[in-house]
């Protein structure tokens, strides 16, 4: 089977039917994401960023794959829940709610806002709803207001060791393209310029050529747990965002630099003993503070497949193809669950399933279907050349 056919058939015949069948809360709205191996719900709490991610996924598929009315209906199911229960009076998004929509965790996590904005944008395109379109733009502008202090009053660290996080410029580089049809052209270009500079000139270390998760405000490094922290999955995911920007701007230098960075991160983070990509690492080889540092996670490997397929599509470099084959072999043989559908999320270092859930507080209907779609389209282009 050709790769494009593998990704297309897995997306449409396995992944999406799993979530269509198992995640809908037909009584209180929104989606259940805490699903066990068989798709049975084991906890009813709802996480707003995962509500946004699933609404985005079904809207995106409606816009790009098939105008399937059931997909649009499923997307609306999540959008309605987010609008009714997901926001406070200032337009900030809670992290989680009860089944019925009563807030459980305050809006401390800006990613809830980011994925709500993405969901609103895609759904507005799909439905033509002007009010949702306005809400997407309003949410985006609110994110920008908070970008220098994302957690606001919920920030628990003091200012004794100020560090800025890679996560924000990384997600803005993707978010701004998602909202391109809604935002002013000047705003789009300004945010892209900011994101590319931060990702490729500030957080990408010139000496090691690795992406650091935190740097000092002036871009220098802090010799501490957080200051040395590497999150290989984040770095690799950001590189395919950079490739998308490079394609958009016809910037071959940016594409090549992103491709080089993907290779460097993989070379540093690949587990030579057991295979797979390590979850967290220390830039100096010291012990990481995260006890789960050596786990193998679904999203990290899926983002690597997307990044490698896009990089190979744009450059044709054989070393990218070789790495793709290596990551593909490990990922598909360890995470996919052909017996019950969807993918496992968490493996131990040896590659054994650590938790056999298909969804929870962090894993929902997003990374797997998005990667299936992105790889399908990349290989469609590669295989048509």
């Amino acid at each position: 089977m050709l790769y494009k056919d593998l990704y297309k058939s897995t997306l449409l015949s396995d992944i999406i039917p799993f979530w269509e069948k198992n995640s809908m809360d037909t009584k209180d709205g929104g989606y259940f994401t805490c699903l066990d191996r068989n798709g049975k719900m084991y906890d009813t709490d709802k996480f707003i960023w995962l509500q946004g991610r699933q609404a985005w996924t079904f809207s995106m598929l409606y816009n790009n794959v098939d105008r399937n009315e059931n997909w649009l209906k499923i997307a609306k199911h999540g959008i309605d829940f987010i609008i009714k229960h997901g926001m406070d009076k200032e337009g900030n998004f809670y992290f989680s709610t009860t089944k019925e929509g009563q807030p459980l965790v305050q809006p401390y996590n800006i990613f809830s806002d980011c994925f709500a904005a993405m969901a609103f944008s895609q759904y507005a395109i799909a439905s033509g709803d002007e009010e949702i379109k306005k809400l997407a733009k309003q949410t985006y502008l609110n994110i920008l207001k908070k970008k220098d202090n994302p957690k606001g009053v919920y920030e628990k660290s003091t200012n004794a060791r100020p560090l800025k996080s890679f996560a924000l410029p990384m997600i803005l580089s993707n978010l701004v393209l998602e909202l391109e049809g809604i935002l002013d052209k000047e705003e789009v270009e300004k945010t892209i310029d900011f994101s590319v500079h931060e990702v490729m000139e500030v957080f990408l270390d010139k000496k090691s050529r690795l992406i650091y998760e935190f740097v000092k405000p002036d871009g220098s490094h802090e010799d501490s747990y957080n200051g040395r922290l590497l999150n290989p999955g984040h770095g690799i995911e950001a590189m395919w965002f950079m490739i998308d920007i490079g394609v958009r701007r016809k910037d071959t230098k940016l594409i090549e630099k992103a491709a080089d960075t993907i290779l460097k991160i993989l070379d540093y983070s690949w587990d030579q003993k057991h295979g797979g990509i390590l979850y967290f690492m220390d830039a100096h080889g010291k012990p990481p503070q995260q006890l789960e540092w050596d786990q193998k996670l679904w999203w990290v490997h899926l983002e690597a497949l997307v990044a490698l397929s896009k990089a190979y599509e744009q450059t044709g470099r054989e070393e990218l193809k070789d790495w793709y084959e290596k990551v593909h072999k490990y990922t598909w043989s360890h995470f996919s669950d052909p017996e019950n559908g969807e993918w496992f999320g968490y493996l131990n270092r040896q590659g054994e399933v650590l938790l056999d859930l298909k969804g929870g507080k962090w894993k929902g209907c997003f990374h797997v279907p998005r990667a299936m779609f992105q790889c399908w389209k990349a290989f469609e282009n590669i295989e048509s050349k």
Side-chain angles (χ1 to χ4, degrees):
M1 181 187 290
L2 294 172
Y3 282 138
K4 69 177 175 64
D5 297 327
L6 171 65
Y7 284 107
K8 180 181 179 180
S9 64
T10 302
L11 173 66
L12 300 179
S13 301
D14 173 3
I15 307 303
I16 293 304
F18 181 92
W19 292 97
E20 284 178 313
K21 178 183 177 184
N22 299 307
S23 69
M24 299 288 285
D25 181 352
T26 55
K27 181 183 177 185
D28 293 302
Y31 319 112
F32 296 122
T33 60
C34 295
L35 305 176
D36 68 13
R37 178 174 186 169
N38 301 304
K40 185 178 179 182
M41 182 262 294
Y42 65 85
D43 195 282
T44 62
D45 285 356
K46 291 169 182 169
F47 306 94
I48 298 303
W49 72 325
L50 295 183
Q51 301 294 309
R53 284 177 162 192
Q54 184 159 341
W56 175 88
T57 297
F58 279 92
S59 299
M60 184 277 292
L61 293 175
Y62 180 87
N63 290 330
N64 294 284
V65 176
D66 178 26
R67 291 196 168 270
N68 181 325
E69 288 301 319
N70 190 51
W71 289 351
L72 188 61
K73 182 179 176 183
I74 291 172
K76 185 177 188 301
H77 201 68
I79 294 292
D80 289 347
F81 185 87
I82 295 168
I83 292 172
K84 187 175 181 180
H85 301 294
M87 297 185 286
D88 67 13
K89 292 178 181 178
E90 285 74 45
N92 304 306
F93 291 81
Y94 297 110
F95 181 74
S96 62
T97 73
T98 64
K99 177 182 185 294
E100 297 78 15
Q102 183 180 351
L104 286 170
V105 178
Q106 296 285 7
Y108 79 95
N109 188 325
I110 200 171
F111 295 112
S112 297
D113 304 56
C114 290
F115 290 108
M118 284 173 57
F120 293 152
S121 178
Q122 280 289 340
Y123 182 75
I125 295 168
S127 65
D129 190 317
E130 288 297 320
E131 290 304 311
I132 301 294
K133 185 177 179 180
K134 289 177 186 175
L135 188 54
K137 184 173 183 178
Q138 178 186 320
T139 302
Y140 173 83
L141 295 175
N142 197 36
I143 291 166
L144 291 190
K145 285 181 191 174
K146 299 194 290 183
K147 74 181 181 67
D148 294 326
N149 183 22
K151 295 186 179 182
V153 297
Y154 306 110
E155 176 57 60
K156 60 186 178 182
S157 65
T158 69
N159 206 35
R161 185 186 287 160
L163 294 172
K164 60 180 183 177
S165 170
F166 175 68
L168 190 65
M170 168 201 158
I171 200 166
L172 281 177
S173 66
N174 179 241
L175 179 62
V176 72
L177 295 185
E178 284 284 333
L179 274 71
E180 187 169 6
I182 289 172
L183 302 174
D184 298 334
K185 184 178 179 182
E186 184 181 338
E187 173 60 39
V188 172
E189 298 304 327
K190 183 176 73 173
T191 302
I192 290 176
D193 288 342
F194 164 80
S195 298
V196 171
H197 173 75
E198 289 286 301
V199 170
M200 304 305 283
E201 303 298 333
V202 177
F203 288 91
L204 175 59
D205 181 55
K206 291 176 175 60
K207 185 177 179 181
S208 67
R209 293 182 291 133
L210 296 169
I211 297 278
Y212 279 65
E213 196 69 8
F214 297 97
V215 296
K216 291 181 182 180
D218 65 0
S220 62
H221 295 306
E222 167 74 41
D223 189 15
S224 64
Y225 270 134
N226 281 337
R228 298 188 304 268
L229 181 64
L230 305 178
N231 182 332
H234 262 179
I236 292 169
E237 182 179 4
M239 289 308 103
W240 73 256
F241 297 164
M242 293 297 108
I243 290 172
D244 280 356
I245 289 171
V247 171
R248 181 185 179 278
R249 290 186 160 182
K250 299 181 173 58
D251 186 343
T252 56
K253 286 185 179 179
L254 178 59
I255 293 169
E256 291 290 347
K257 190 174 182 180
D260 290 341
T261 305
I262 294 165
L263 293 171
K264 184 64 181 177
I265 294 173
L266 284 170
D267 188 56
Y268 191 82
S269 61
W270 187 260
D271 186 344
Q272 298 298 331
K273 185 174 182 180
H274 298 288
I277 304 164
L278 295 167
Y279 188 21
F280 290 108
M281 300 187 76
D282 186 283
H284 297 171
K286 296 178 181 180
Q289 65 176 321
Q290 289 82 3
L291 301 182
E292 69 275 24
W293 70 273
D294 64 346
Q295 289 180 20
K296 311 293 167 61
L297 267 68
W298 85 108
W299 71 266
V300 174
H301 293 75
L302 285 162
E303 297 306 324
L305 292 177
V306 175
L308 287 163
S309 61
K310 282 177 176 281
Y312 179 62
E313 175 195 355
Q314 296 302 322
T315 69
R317 290 163 56 177
E318 284 299 312
E319 57 196 322
L320 292 162
K321 183 181 179 184
D322 292 343
W323 259 109
Y324 173 82
E325 298 287 352
K326 186 175 182 177
V327 178
H328 177 97
K329 183 178 180 182
Y330 181 90
T331 304
W332 281 86
S333 63
H334 286 81
F335 290 99
S336 176
D337 182 13
E339 183 181 345
N340 297 287
E342 241 281 346
W343 284 34
F344 298 117
Y346 303 89
L347 313 177
N348 63 18
R349 184 171 185 179
Q350 291 72 30
E352 302 159 333
V353 175
L354 191 62
L355 293 169
D356 65 1
L357 58 80
K358 296 297 171 55
K361 182 178 182 179
W362 310 111
K363 183 179 187 294
C365 180
F366 182 67
H367 282 288
V368 181
R370 184 176 73 167
M372 295 297 132
F373 175 77
Q374 292 288 347
C375 289
W376 162 23
K377 293 302 173 181
F379 280 107
E380 198 169 62
N381 292 334
I382 292 166
E383 291 162 12
S384 68
K385 290 179 181 178

